[in-house]
Each structure stands twice: as C-alpha cells, then as structure tokens.
Amino acid sequence: MLNSNSNNSIFAQIIAKELAVNPNQILAAMTLLEDGNTIPFIARYRKEATGGLDDSQLRHFETRLSYLRELDERRQTILRSIEEQGKLTPELSEKIFRCESKTALEDLYLPYKPKRRTKGQIAIENGLEPLAERLWFEKDLDPESFAQTFLNENVATIKEALDGARYILMERFAEEAELIAKLRHFLQKNADISANVIAGKEEQGEKFRDYFSYHERWKNIPSHRALALLRGRNEGILSLAMQIEPSNEDVSANASYCEEMIQQHLGVILGHSAQDKWRKQVISWTWKIKLALHLETELMAALKERAEMEAIDVFATNLKALLMAAPAGAKTTIGLDPGIRTGVKVAVVDNTGKVLATDAIYPYTGQEQVAMLTLSNLIKTHNVELIAIGNGTASRETERFAKSVVKMLEGYNPQIVVVNEAGASVYSASELAAKEFPNIDVALRGAVSIARRLQDPLAELVKIDPKAIGVGQYQHDVNQTQLAKKLESVVEDCVNAVGVDLNTASAPLLAQVAGMNKTLAQNIVAYRDENGRFESRDQLKKVPRLGAKAFEQCAGFMRINDGKNPLDASGVHPEAYPIVEKILRRCEQSILDIMGNISILKALDAQSFTDSQFGLPTVLDIFKELEKPGRDPRGAFKTATFMDGVNEISDLKEGMILEGTVTNVTNFGAFVDIGVHQDGLVHISALADHFVEDPHQIVKTGDTVKVSVLEVDIPRKRIALSMRTDAKSNDKLNERARKSKSHQSNPPAGLNNAFADALKNWKNKQ
C-alpha cells in the first residue's frame, strides 16, 4: 500500500498533465491547501510557490484532487476486500493501482464484489461448474447427452443442467473488466438515444413536442437537449430507450454486433454443431440478460452526469459575468420595483447603500399626478443621480413614467437604467433582509435591492442564493450539491478578485472573503458598529475569534479607503509592505507621491526588490497595485437603451435593429432583453458572421448588444434575433426559420438550423 507522499506525487503527475503544468506546481498547491490556505489567497499571494497557477487552474486542481483521493480511498477498500477473500494476485493489484477512474475500478472489482446468491452460484453449488467448463472449452461434446451425467437430487432435468451451466458462464463473462470496457467504448461511440411520447400524453406534454419522435447519437446530445429529454421522462411524458445495435453491413442479419464483440473477445469460433449452438446461447444470454441493461443504465446515467456538469458550468459562467458586471458607482439611487395594481415600490439609497426613504406610488391606477409629484420630490430632496427600474412586469411603463418625471425637472437629470431584478423577491422575504431592514415592509425591500444592485451588483447579489438569480439552464434538474459547490466557488473568486470595503461591506459580502466565515463576518460588523470605522488592516486582529491564519488569508482582500496607511486601500498584502518600504527608500519618495506615478515605477527594476521570501511575481503585482491602487477588475459601466415605441412584443417588426442586454447565455445561444417583457433568442448560428463553437466566446451575461429581429411568434411569445452584421446572412436565416415552422413536429436527428433548433431548446427552457 502506498504512503500519502507517494499518493500525492502520483496525484500531482495526473493533475499536472491535465493542466499542462509542472508536477511541482501541483505539489506546492497541495501543500498550501493542506496548510489551510484558500484558493483565492494561493492564486493571488503565493504565485512563487505555485508557479503562477491562476484561480481557474486551482479550482480544477481542487476538484480533481478531491476525486482522486476518493478514488484512492475506494481503491484501498477494494484491495482489502479482495485480499480478505484470498484472491488478490500481483497482476490484479497492479491493475487496480493503475485505475484512474471510478468506473474502471468498479469494473475490476465486479467479480469479487459481495453479492446476493445468484443463479450461477446456485448452479456451482449444485455441481454444474465442470459441465460449464467442459462444454465451453472442450470439443465434440453433445450438450444434452453430456448434461445427462450431471443430474442429481438438485438438478432434475437436462434443461436445468444446461441452463445452470449457462448462468455460470454468463455471470463469469459479464464480470470481465476488459470486455465491459470494450462494449462501453463501442456504445459511447455508436449508440443512439430515442424518445417517444407516451400514448395519451400529447396534450399534457406539448412543451416536449419536438421529442415525441426523436433520436440522436448518444455522444452528440448536447446538455440542454439531454436535460430536456430526462425532464420529459421524469414528468411521465416521454419514454427513453437506447438503440444499442447500429446498422452495420458487416454484421450478419441474425447476429447482434455486441454479441459478436463478446465472441471475438472470448476468442471463440462457432460452427453449426449442437455444442456451438449452446455456446452461442451463452454469449447471447451474457449480452441480453447481464450486460445490455447494465450498460444502458450506466450510459443513461453518464449522459445525465455529463449534461449536468455542462449545465452547471454554463450557470457558473453566467453567474461570474453577472457578478463581475461593472458597478454604476457610489451614487444616490432610487430603486423602482414596478407593479400595476399593487403599485410601484420606491426606495432611495445614498452612495453607501443606506436607505434614506421608501414609498409606494400608483401611476397606473388613477393616481399618476400624485405619483409624479412624489417621485420628483424624492429626486430633488436627495439629489438622486441614478434611477434603477426592475425589469419585471410593467418595467417599460415605469421607465416611460420615470422619463416623463425627469423631463419635467430643471437642474436634475438622473440616469435611468433597467436592472435585472431576478432574485430580488427571494431576498426580500429572506431572514437576512428581515434582519437588515426590520422596519421596512417586505414589498419595499425589493426596491432597495434593485437600487443597490445597480450601484454594485456584486455586493448585493452575494446576499441571494445563486440558484435564485436565474442565469442557468435546467438548474433545478441538476445535482444540487455539485451546483451549490460550483456556484459558491464562483462567488468566492469574484468577491476576492474585486476586494471589499471593510468599512461598508455587509456581513454576507465579508463572509465570501478568503479566510472568512459567517461568524467572523458578523464579528467584523459588530466590532465596526461598536468601535466605528476601521482605520487600518491591523485592527482586524482585534476582532473576536479572527486569528493569525484568518488575518493572513483575508487581509489582502480587505480595503480601507482614507485610512492611516494608503496601502490598506490597495491589493498589496500587509506581509509585503516591507517591499514597498524598500521601493520608497530607493526612490526617496513618500507613498502618496509614488502611488499612481507610473513614470517613477517604470524606471525601477522589479528584480532588484526580490528576496528569499518575495519573488518576481509578487514584486510585479506590487508595482501594478502602486500604478493603479485599488484597481477594480470590472469594466466601465454602460447600459442598453431600449427603442422608444417598442414596448410590447406586438411592436416588433422583422428587420428592426435594437439594442438590448444579454440576460442568459446557454450552449445553444443567448437570450437578450430588448424591452418587450419577453427575452429574444439569438441562436448560436446567428451570434456572429463566422462559425461559433461556444456562445460564451462571443457574449456574456450583462453585455449590451445590437440585434436585428428575425422573426416574431406572438401567440407563443417567441422572438428570434440575430447579431450577424451580414444582411444576406440574416435573410437566409429568416427563410430557414419560416421553412422550419412547418416541420417542427418531427425534426430530423441532428437538426441545426437557426430557428427550429432554437425553438426546440427554448421551449424546454421555459
């Protein structure tokens, strides 16, 4: 049995190969992780040790290391089990040690896995193993005559004897790891998945109509289609099956391709004798009774797992884009949560997010003048610079109303922005919101959240369960534990990439900083409430239960503006302050003189400031921070301007050029809010004038884009859009979209045109 150091070395080699890095980099990351360091801290402040592994590489490393350790733990369990049975040979042990996947490991363990008493075991107990062995390996035996000699008190007939012998052999063959691997590999390349509607469920399952008679190669099914198929099955609308036998002219009409693979693997040449017919039955039973269902179940599970992982990755990518959206900034903002009958909820927050006023106005129920007066007074009283409007029901009406109010005002011109309000209602009713705003009605808390997420999306969205933000595909159908873990890592990486203001950050935001947890975050807020603002990072050491390790991990990501030490507002870690002091002595300048002074810094040789503790990567990072202290990695704030007069889907016309905001990116395209209460879909084939393999290469959630309208389906509230600039290409897409509408009930396998595929995927997203 290998020791842990040997295991780590093996794991490092495997992961290093996957990441195309040196194994020593992985070993260093492994050591740092085991010492209690966090991924953001390692990525930002331990570049010398890891050779500059970034956060995405470290997340892959973390996931794979966990998998490999689970694999090794299972390996040790299996080795012990086989050894206790007295069946562990050096050859088997070597094969087990070479396994790099849980599937391959379980294949090897299958013959030795404790199982309930099988028909094959009963046959062995009844003395039929010699019959099975001789009928299989010897020649010129007549099965029925030879089986006669094995009848006994437990085996009354020749049929029982021959069936028992078959069970012995088929169970043995069905447990051969190499054979299972061959068949699995073949099916992964060649098997088809077929779907059919369950009789009588046509009307109930209308949204799955495109899958009522459907088939596609297993290996080609994309994530969104696989999850749609599985959802259809789970809802009792579709029946799914695996078409295992491909058409192949090399296979005889009476044979199964997989059965011939088994025959070839076993090295058997079959003729037409009674013994060969019996052996052929053994092979047929091995496939049909033991292996076919097992592999079909396994491949369906693998399809689900593959689809889930892709869907989780899509969600994570979209969430990262949303969290890293550019903030509008620290400006006094009004948040408007639109409503018609229930009124528009209003909240005013100052440049730090503090609530200044709340109200409800009713511009659509006969009180427009009162509503206009209320909103105009709030704008003037608080000198409002931004108006954030939730993009739900009545958002365009509320936008028009707000514009009409602003147009009346002299000397005030707040910018009006429509904001994605996904998750605001979830936050409003949460325990966190109740603690934060105990005296504010639930209905008004959403308006506060809308205002704040315009000021700083990251700071506000961390308060909401990522799954409630709604930027994924089929997020409720995937493994919730894996989804939560992935999204938590995305939030953590985003928060630490930006950094947090120690004096204004909420507890949920502080809890996402490296080395922090909910308790420490609450303790920081409590300390701040009791002692006033933090003047230096060192004050963190006075926070109850915040020890040396937590300080090491979090300090570099905490920002203090206008504190005692200007470096506390930067990403320079306190442990590296001595390097900055060296730079200041060399330049004979003060810290305020050098921060932001690129010319002075460009004249310095970074290498000359390295020492045994801090290498060139750290020094170069310090130079970058001094050039742009506290730089925000998020881009400049910009927003889409919706076309006046286009407020409803009925206002859209083919060929219109509109501006919109990307709300979601999936594997099959991007959804864009163009201000008509229904997102339009830019299919992957319409994202660019060139071939696009991954929509995320072209757009991300939150992007402002220009689109042209390809087609509008008002009854089903569907809008097809294009981002192509080539007019001829858009004309072709329009024509293909129109043609596809008459063939949507039974699209051919692998259909990939701009609108039919888009609609199929879109319907199942709704």
Side-chain angles (χ1 to χ4, degrees):
M1 193 174 293
L2 299 177
N3 59 40
S4 59
N5 289 334
S6 299
N7 282 346
N8 284 348
S9 179
I10 293 170
F11 298 160
Q13 290 179 37
I14 293 170
I15 299 171
K17 186 177 180 180
E18 294 170 355
L19 292 174
V21 299
N22 191 296
N24 288 332
Q25 293 174 263
I26 302 300
L27 282 170
M30 216 176 283
T31 301
L32 288 165
L33 202 62
E34 289 170 352
D35 288 344
N37 295 288
T38 61
I39 294 295
F41 177 80
I42 296 171
R44 180 67 177 82
Y45 297 113
R46 290 298 180 263
K47 292 179 180 178
E48 288 89 347
T50 68
L53 294 178
D54 61 30
D55 54 359
S56 63
Q57 290 174 310
L58 288 166
R59 290 295 180 190
H60 176 88
F61 146 76
E62 183 183 35
T63 301
R64 285 293 284 145
L65 181 61
S66 175
Y67 178 90
L68 291 172
R69 284 180 169 163
E70 288 174 7
L71 176 67
D72 190 60
E73 186 176 337
R74 179 62 177 159
R75 187 191 341 263
Q76 301 307 328
T77 300
I78 287 172
L79 284 168
R80 283 193 298 270
S81 174
I82 299 174
E83 192 170 28
E84 288 169 1
Q85 297 173 43
K87 297 177 181 178
L88 186 62
T89 64
E91 294 78 15
L92 178 57
S93 181
E94 177 69 16
K95 286 181 180 179
I96 290 173
F97 273 116
R98 287 183 180 276
C99 284
E100 293 185 8
S101 76
K102 294 177 181 178
T103 300
L105 187 60
E106 295 301 330
D107 284 351
L108 287 173
Y109 184 43
L110 193 57
Y112 310 97
K113 193 173 185 177
K115 53 181 76 75
R116 60 184 177 81
R117 196 158 167 255
T118 66
K119 291 181 179 179
Q121 289 172 334
I122 294 170
I124 290 172
E125 294 167 7
N126 290 337
L128 296 177
E129 190 168 23
L131 172 63
E133 295 276 355
R134 294 185 65 180
L135 284 176
W136 187 259
F137 292 108
E138 294 184 16
K139 295 181 179 179
D140 302 325
L141 291 175
D142 178 66
E144 293 201 1
S145 299
F146 190 57
Q148 182 75 39
T149 62
F150 287 86
L151 300 183
N152 56 46
E153 60 182 5
N154 295 317
V155 184
T157 66
I158 291 173
K159 183 180 184 304
E160 287 181 20
L162 292 177
D163 284 353
R166 285 192 194 96
Y167 282 119
I168 292 170
L169 291 172
M170 78 178 201
E171 289 176 10
R172 181 186 301 174
F173 298 153
E175 291 178 343
E176 288 195 16
E178 188 178 341
L179 173 59
I180 295 172
K182 283 181 181 178
L183 291 167
R184 179 187 294 117
H185 179 67
F186 168 76
L187 294 177
Q188 287 172 340
K189 289 177 63 179
N190 297 287
D192 284 352
I193 297 292
S194 67
N196 288 283
V197 64
I198 295 173
K201 295 295 183 78
E202 290 84 357
E203 185 176 347
Q204 181 183 344
E206 170 63 21
K207 65 181 179 180
F208 297 105
R209 187 178 66 185
D210 291 306
Y211 301 107
F212 282 1
S213 179
Y214 163 91
H215 69 91
E216 188 170 2
R217 190 59 53 88
W218 180 90
K219 68 175 182 178
N220 294 334
I221 300 178
S223 167
H224 53 278
R225 280 209 286 274
L227 292 171
L229 289 168
L230 293 167
R231 179 185 286 182
R233 183 181 67 176
N234 292 340
E235 292 184 11
I237 305 299
L238 302 176
S239 63
L240 301 187
M242 184 169 288
Q243 303 298 322
I244 291 172
E245 300 296 343
S247 57
N248 190 313
E249 59 187 21
D250 296 329
V251 182
S252 65
N254 297 321
S256 152
Y257 195 99
C258 292
E259 288 176 21
E260 290 205 358
M261 288 183 68
I262 296 171
Q263 179 182 327
Q264 291 170 12
H265 173 80
L266 296 174
V268 179
I269 299 174
L270 298 175
H272 300 287
S273 68
Q275 185 178 3
D276 283 340
K277 288 181 180 178
W278 181 86
R279 291 198 288 182
K280 185 175 179 59
Q281 285 180 330
V282 171
I283 292 172
S284 181
W285 281 24
T286 300
W287 170 242
K288 293 176 180 176
I289 297 176
K290 296 297 291 185
L291 289 175
L293 181 59
H294 167 75
L295 287 171
E296 179 177 353
T297 302
E298 183 185 294
L299 262 66
M300 291 298 284
L303 176 66
K304 183 176 187 290
E305 182 179 2
R306 184 182 77 202
E308 286 185 352
M309 292 311 299
E310 288 181 22
I312 288 171
D313 286 342
V314 166
F315 199 148
T317 301
N318 287 335
L319 177 64
K320 181 176 181 180
L322 195 61
L323 293 175
M324 295 298 283
K331 300 175 181 179
T332 304
T333 304
I334 283 181
L336 299 178
D337 188 358
I340 296 179
R341 182 182 57 80
T342 57
V344 177
K345 277 67 70 180
V346 185
V348 185
V349 299
D350 69 11
N351 58 3
T352 67
K354 179 183 177 182
V355 179
L356 301 176
T358 60
D359 209 333
I361 55 178
Y362 301 86
Y364 315 121
T365 56
Q367 302 180 45
E368 184 176 5
Q369 293 302 316
V370 174
M372 293 180 76
L373 181 62
T374 301
L375 187 59
S376 61
N377 284 339
L378 288 172
I379 293 171
K380 290 187 288 187
T381 301
H382 302 287
N383 196 20
V384 171
E385 299 171 84
L386 293 169
I387 297 177
I389 301 171
N391 68 340
T393 303
S395 63
R396 290 308 303 276
E397 292 86 345
T398 303
E399 183 185 19
R400 288 199 302 273
F401 168 73
K403 284 181 178 179
S404 66
V405 171
V406 170
K407 187 179 284 189
M408 292 169 43
L409 298 173
E410 291 186 11
Y412 300 92
N413 189 29
Q415 183 179 3
I416 299 171
V417 182
V418 177
V419 176
N420 187 336
E421 65 176 28
S425 59
V426 175
Y427 165 73
S428 300
S430 69
E431 183 180 351
L432 175 63
K435 288 181 179 179
E436 192 171 6
F437 307 116
N439 300 318
I440 295 179
D441 186 81
V442 172
L444 294 168
R445 294 172 190 164
V448 177
S449 181
I450 289 168
R452 286 177 167 182
R453 68 173 63 186
L454 177 60
Q455 292 177 323
D456 190 339
L458 179 61
E460 191 63 21
L461 289 172
V462 294
K463 301 175 183 177
I464 302 169
D465 181 349
K467 289 180 287 186
I469 296 174
V471 289
Q473 57 183 44
Y474 298 99
Q475 64 253 35
H476 301 296
D477 294 349
V478 304
N479 184 298
Q480 296 301 297
T481 301
Q482 292 179 0
L483 176 63
K485 186 175 181 181
K486 182 79 171 184
L487 299 184
E488 284 168 8
S489 69
V490 169
V491 174
E492 183 182 29
D493 288 343
C494 290
V495 169
N496 288 285
V498 173
V500 304
D501 187 326
L502 187 54
N503 285 310
T504 61
S506 64
L509 185 59
L510 289 166
Q512 297 296 336
V513 175
M516 290 287 99
N517 55 39
K518 290 182 179 179
T519 300
L520 289 177
Q522 291 289 355
N523 288 351
I524 288 174
V525 172
Y527 181 91
R528 194 172 66 198
D529 290 343
E530 184 176 346
N531 300 283
R533 58 176 274 118
F534 284 88
E535 295 297 335
S536 74
R537 283 170 167 167
D538 272 346
Q539 273 183 267
L540 278 167
K541 297 175 181 177
K542 297 180 181 179
V543 173
R545 301 180 68 177
L546 201 155
K549 190 65 179 181
F551 178 81
E552 176 193 56
Q553 298 297 302
C554 76
F557 304 107
M558 301 289 195
R559 307 281 191 266
I560 300 176
N561 296 311
D562 302 320
K564 292 180 179 178
N565 187 340
L567 288 176
D568 286 349
S570 75
V572 179
H573 196 284
E575 67 183 9
Y577 285 2
I579 297 293
V580 180
E581 291 169 5
K582 278 188 189 179
I583 294 171
L584 297 179
R585 288 195 295 270
R586 180 80 57 87
C587 299
E588 297 183 344
Q589 300 280 349
S590 72
I591 184 63
L592 292 177
D593 291 332
I594 201 171
M595 289 181 84
N597 195 326
I598 297 176
S599 59
I600 293 178
L601 294 166
K602 290 290 185 186
L604 299 174
D605 176 19
Q607 185 67 52
S608 66
F609 295 99
T610 62
D611 56 27
S612 58
Q613 184 180 359
F614 302 107
L616 188 59
T618 295
V619 176
L620 289 174
D621 279 347
I622 291 172
F623 273 41
K624 289 177 184 176
E625 281 295 329
L626 293 177
E627 287 176 9
K628 295 181 179 179
R631 66 190 188 283
D632 193 324
R634 296 172 290 184
F637 175 74
K638 59 182 179 179
T639 184
T641 301
F642 295 142
M643 180 181 285
D644 288 338
V646 178
N647 305 310
E648 305 292 339
I649 190 171
S650 56
D651 297 327
L652 295 174
K653 306 294 180 187
E654 285 186 20
M656 274 185 171
I657 306 297
L658 305 169
E659 197 168 66
T661 302
V662 177
T663 58
N664 199 356
V665 183
T666 71
N667 287 335
F668 55 84
F671 291 90
V672 180
D673 180 4
I674 52 176
V676 295
H677 306 303
Q678 176 63 56
D679 290 355
L681 173 64
V682 183
H683 185 257
I684 186 171
S685 60
L687 279 171
D689 293 328
H690 56 82
F691 173 75
V692 177
E693 184 174 354
D694 179 4
H696 292 95
Q697 296 171 346
I698 305 298
V699 291
K700 65 181 185 296
T701 305
D703 280 355
T704 298
V705 296
K706 280 193 174 180
V707 295
S708 59
V709 179
L710 287 179
E711 187 176 16
V712 183
D713 187 339
I714 294 177
R716 294 195 292 175
K717 296 184 178 180
R718 290 186 183 134
I719 307 160
L721 305 172
S722 173
M723 286 173 53
R724 285 186 168 187
T725 57
D726 183 352
K728 289 184 179 179
S729 295
N730 284 329
D731 288 341
K732 289 180 180 179
L733 287 174
N734 270 318
E735 181 61 26
R736 290 164 69 187
R738 281 189 286 271
K739 287 181 179 179
S740 73
K741 291 183 75 174
S742 62
H743 298 93
Q744 287 172 28
S745 61
N746 188 17
L751 182 66
N752 186 30
N753 67 49
F755 202 65
D757 209 23
L759 284 179
K760 180 200 303 181
N761 297 314
W762 195 359
K763 279 190 291 183
N764 291 284
K765 173 185 178 289
Q766 301 307 308

